[in-house]
Amino acid sequence: MNGRAIYSAEDDTLRWTPDERLDANEYALAKAAGFKWWGRTGAWVAVWTPGREDHLLARVEEITHEGDPDDPQARVQRFAGHAAAAVNRSEQRVTAAMQGLPPGGEPIKIGHHSEGRHRRAIERSDQNMRAAVEEDKKADYWRGRALGAERRARQKSDPGVVRRRIGRLQEHLRVHERTLAQAPDNRYAGRWHEHLTLRIAFEEGRLASLNPEPFAPVTAYQKGDIVQHKRWGKCQVVSVGRVNLKLQQLTGATVGWQWAAPPHEVKPWTEPKATSQPE
């Protein structure tokens, strides 16, 4: 057995922290299984699949479950701090690159006693400018990481994002339910069904903790109803599906266009109150 492994329900990932450095064969197997090395955490990380779970169970005694291994807001602040520090170092390098050079771009005087000093100053300036470019690249990298952490924070705190994730999980679940209906002994589909059922329960618990605004179910609407969509404004219900409503936009730049919308993005239309004009 080599190290320990955890499953995080927050982001549906497996994290393997080996006690020993992987040899070439184990490294290749981990990469082939879809794991990526996260150097800062010292762990191999991948989104859960039955195959990846089996890969870890062959190498650790058990896979433990844990909650959120990190605070997304803290990650945003930490990554933004790294980016700001890299920008500061880049500016310092640029300042250093401009110091010590002869004023006015004076050329090197071949054979003059200042030739060596001049060449060394140009070399130092070149090194500093190259270092400044590298620090700029680091700043861009950490800005990207901060944006990713912000998206991760929204995944946890935005009811709309959580609802859409639940919808996608339910779609995947129905696929495996159809597979099991045709082949009840399909172990692969059975493991996916069990995993997705737990994922949906976890996300529904997260959604309930956010106290989202209540909404009418899809069955509360019928063809011809006028509704208010949170993004497209006044719309008319064209058809009612099992999961979504099909809407036709009645106002705005894209009037006449049709969209599919989940019921939590829709509410019954109410005419805006007329405002009285001042005399």
Side-chain angles (χ1 to χ4, degrees):
M1 297 294 118
N2 185 6
R4 67 186 189 94
I6 64 171
Y7 169 74
S8 171
E10 286 287 342
D11 53 6
D12 194 28
T13 56
L14 294 164
R15 299 167 185 251
W16 176 32
T17 308
D19 292 332
E20 302 173 356
R21 183 183 179 89
L22 303 187
D23 58 29
N25 182 57
E26 280 294 312
Y27 181 90
L29 291 174
K31 297 289 286 186
F35 285 87
K36 294 183 178 180
W37 175 249
W38 286 12
R40 286 184 170 271
T41 59
W44 290 88
V45 182
V47 175
W48 187 95
T49 66
R52 291 166 183 165
E53 185 178 63
D54 290 341
H55 180 86
L56 293 188
L57 288 174
R59 290 160 176 79
V60 298
E61 293 182 358
E62 64 176 350
I63 298 176
T64 59
H65 290 235
E66 81 170 28
D68 192 356
D70 199 359
D71 179 6
Q73 291 294 349
R75 287 167 64 87
V76 172
Q77 296 177 4
R78 185 166 68 252
F79 295 156
H82 292 331
V87 169
N88 184 52
R89 291 194 297 270
S90 176
E91 292 174 349
Q92 291 176 351
R93 287 286 190 171
V94 170
T95 301
M98 304 307 295
Q99 293 175 350
L101 291 175
E106 181 181 347
I108 298 175
K109 298 176 181 178
I110 306 299
H112 192 264
H113 66 83
S114 64
E115 177 183 356
R117 183 172 66 252
H118 196 158
R119 291 186 183 279
R120 289 191 296 274
I122 292 176
E123 183 179 357
R124 286 195 301 271
S125 177
D126 179 69
Q127 291 174 350
N128 280 314
M129 289 303 297
R130 290 177 183 276
V133 171
E134 291 301 317
E135 292 296 344
D136 279 337
K137 291 180 180 178
K138 291 180 183 178
D140 290 339
Y141 168 78
W142 288 116
R143 290 190 194 101
R145 292 292 301 274
L147 290 174
E150 287 180 357
R151 289 193 295 269
R152 179 75 189 100
R154 287 197 299 272
Q155 288 179 348
K156 294 184 62 178
S157 60
D158 188 333
V161 174
V162 177
R163 286 195 183 103
R164 288 192 290 273
R165 186 159 56 247
I166 292 173
R168 290 193 296 270
L169 292 171
Q170 289 172 338
E171 289 178 6
H172 295 320
L173 181 65
R174 288 192 290 270
V175 170
H176 294 294
E177 285 176 343
R178 290 193 292 270
T179 302
L180 290 172
Q182 299 173 0
D185 296 331
N186 189 314
R187 181 171 174 269
Y188 180 82
R191 290 179 65 184
W192 265 114
H193 187 277
E194 179 183 1
H195 178 75
L196 290 170
T197 301
L198 294 174
R199 287 279 297 142
I200 291 171
F202 176 84
E203 295 295 344
E204 288 177 341
R206 189 209 301 269
L207 181 61
S209 69
L210 296 175
N211 297 318
E213 182 180 350
F215 62 92
V218 68
T219 53
Y221 299 95
Q222 58 184 356
K223 182 179 179 180
D225 285 350
I226 304 300
V227 297
Q228 171 78 34
H229 188 272
K230 62 190 302 184
R231 187 185 312 165
W232 306 311
K234 189 176 183 180
C235 298
Q236 185 177 28
V237 177
V238 176
S239 62
V240 179
R242 186 164 57 90
V243 178
N244 293 327
L245 299 168
K246 188 174 183 180
L247 307 178
Q248 182 173 6
Q249 192 169 343
L250 300 179
T251 59
T254 53
V255 62
W257 288 25
Q258 294 186 357
W259 317 87
H264 64 263
E265 296 182 353
V266 173
K267 62 182 179 180
W269 173 261
T270 56
E271 291 292 341
K273 295 180 180 180
T275 56
S276 59
Q277 296 292 333
E279 296 182 359

